[in-house]
Amino acid sequence: MGAATAETTDTDVVHVLWINAGLSCDGDSVSLTAAMQPSIEEIVTGALPGLPKVAVHWPLIDFECGPVQGADNFVEWFFKADRGELEPFVLVVEGSIPNEKIKKEGYWCGFGDDPATGQPITTSEWLDRLAPKATAVVAIGTCATYGGIHAMAGNPTGAMGVPDHLGWDWKSKAGLPIVCVPGCPIQPDNFAETLTYLLYQLAGSAPMIPLDDKLRPAWLFGATVHEGCDRGGYYEQGQFATDYGTPECLVRLGCWGPVVKCNVAKRGWTNGVGGCPNVGGICIACTMPGFPDKFMPFMDPPPGSRVSSGASSAYGPLIRRLRAITLKTVDKEPKWRRTGRHLTTGYRPPW
């Protein structure tokens, strides 16, 4: 996908440079292979009408990954971008960015060697070099967007998300803010759809990408897990699960869905199937900037849930009884649906 061919050096090709050398488990890369709306194959092969040619330099599947091997090795594409030889390119960052300024010797993470010094180039230096030259910068996964697991209290790396490193008001040379698509890991279609939107925008076929105040695509993260959850009706009726394996609302088992912006309950995971609460798992708020510190311990009920679920438990039984009365009425066929010599539907001939 990142082959150094004549086609990928055309000026109308959009190069996607993917850095997964931050503090990361590569889970977002693995997750993206399950995208179906659209799939990564459809994006790269140009199967979508109007999409520009794309050359993806992605460590997960790029055959050029490996030891330094001359002008055609994987890292060379990043040096080309640094020299201004790739235009345009989208920089995708996976993994949180450590604070190298607090490391007196060695470094936290990086990839590739500086030809001038023979020393490794840190991830933060790559970000500082390439971000000003990129047409767009996209942070994939919660580690890259807001710091994630590596940035939790007590960590020795000073890890942070891309907006924390570059600045929340940072703009690319094309005027685009940092685009953050959180998730631990990312919901596959959320990122594939966002990348597709950006590519259409670069092609002049889409307006400025709409982002919320945390730089998330607004159409993907505009509602809470609870608002799209199949279990939401149980919450309203005061029915809560006391153990796993039952269909009721999971709030009392530690689910943060009512206050978490995420569409996984609505969208599912792969091809509309799966998703945390849909398969019986609590929402631990992995798409939120406060994750994980503000949501631990994960199995404890959220602080406000006792009040809200208690109120729901108080009026829920009454709602269920009233609905049972209505259900009993509407669960019967109308009385005119029977055989006989007389029409009982209320029909009157118009002549």
Side-chain angles (χ1 to χ4, degrees):
M1 295 170 73
T5 63
E7 184 179 12
T8 58
T9 57
D10 290 343
T11 56
D12 59 346
V13 172
V14 177
H15 292 264
V16 177
L17 296 183
W18 194 297
I19 294 178
N20 67 344
L23 299 174
S24 169
C25 66
D26 287 356
D28 303 301
S29 285
V30 175
S31 179
L32 187 57
T33 62
M36 301 187 72
Q37 297 178 337
S39 69
I40 190 66
E41 292 85 356
E42 289 174 321
I43 295 173
V44 174
T45 60
L48 304 177
L51 206 66
K53 294 179 182 178
V54 178
V56 180
H57 310 286
W58 184 16
L60 186 73
I61 58 176
D62 199 315
F63 66 85
E64 294 173 344
C65 284
V68 175
Q69 50 186 315
D72 293 334
N73 69 80
F74 176 79
V75 179
E76 179 62 19
W77 290 102
F78 292 82
F79 285 120
K80 288 180 180 180
D82 188 28
R83 294 193 297 264
E85 297 173 8
L86 291 186
E87 178 65 32
F89 74 90
V90 175
L91 181 64
V92 177
V93 182
E94 179 178 4
S96 54
I97 312 301
N99 181 3
E100 299 292 352
K101 295 180 179 179
I102 62 174
K103 185 69 172 170
K104 294 182 180 180
E105 57 182 13
Y107 62 98
W108 293 116
C109 60
F111 73 105
D113 295 335
D114 190 329
T117 64
Q119 296 299 310
I121 301 176
T122 64
T123 301
S124 58
E125 183 178 348
W126 274 119
L127 187 55
D128 291 337
R129 286 189 186 189
L130 297 180
K133 302 178 177 70
T135 303
V137 173
V138 186
I140 175 174
T142 303
C143 292
T145 54
Y146 310 126
I149 295 292
H150 311 97
M152 65 189 300
N155 85 85
T157 67
M160 65 195 80
V162 174
D164 300 310
H165 181 83
L166 294 178
W168 282 81
D169 296 325
W170 184 92
K171 298 286 194 302
S172 73
K173 65 179 184 180
L176 276 72
I178 301 166
V179 179
C180 292
V181 193
C184 188
I186 187 72
Q187 199 282 346
D189 292 327
N190 279 353
F191 185 79
E193 189 174 311
T194 301
L195 180 60
T196 302
Y197 189 107
L198 286 171
L199 292 173
Y200 275 124
Q201 183 178 336
L202 296 181
S205 302
M208 175 65 73
I209 185 169
L211 305 176
D212 66 13
D213 61 342
K214 298 300 181 289
L215 305 177
R216 297 168 292 210
W219 76 94
L220 297 175
F221 296 92
T224 65
V225 172
H226 185 75
E227 289 167 334
C229 184
D230 292 342
R231 300 168 182 263
Y234 289 106
Y235 183 103
E236 177 194 16
Q237 295 181 164
Q239 295 172 287
F240 300 95
T242 56
D243 52 41
Y244 293 96
T246 60
E248 294 85 8
C249 179
L250 298 167
V251 163
R252 289 185 176 174
L253 295 179
C255 183
W256 284 83
V259 294
V260 172
K261 291 185 176 181
C262 180
N263 64 349
V264 71
K266 189 86 169 178
R267 188 164 206 171
W269 196 261
T270 303
N271 200 26
V273 179
C276 310
N278 298 340
V279 296
I282 62 173
C283 172
I284 60 173
C286 74
T287 59
M288 301 296 281
F291 176 81
D293 300 74
K294 294 185 177 182
F295 303 98
M296 296 190 299
F298 291 132
M299 300 302 177
D300 287 359
S305 68
R306 290 183 174 87
V307 175
S308 60
S309 64
S312 178
S313 296
Y315 65 73
L318 175 60
I319 291 178
R320 294 200 300 274
R321 283 194 292 271
L322 293 175
R323 286 177 175 170
I325 295 172
T326 303
L327 174 61
K328 186 176 181 179
T329 301
V330 299
D331 206 24
K332 298 178 181 178
E333 287 195 78
K335 61 183 179 181
W336 54 80
R337 294 182 186 169
R338 58 186 172 84
T339 188
R341 295 180 177 276
H342 300 287
L343 181 65
T344 58
T345 65
Y347 173 78
R348 296 290 181 271
W351 57 84

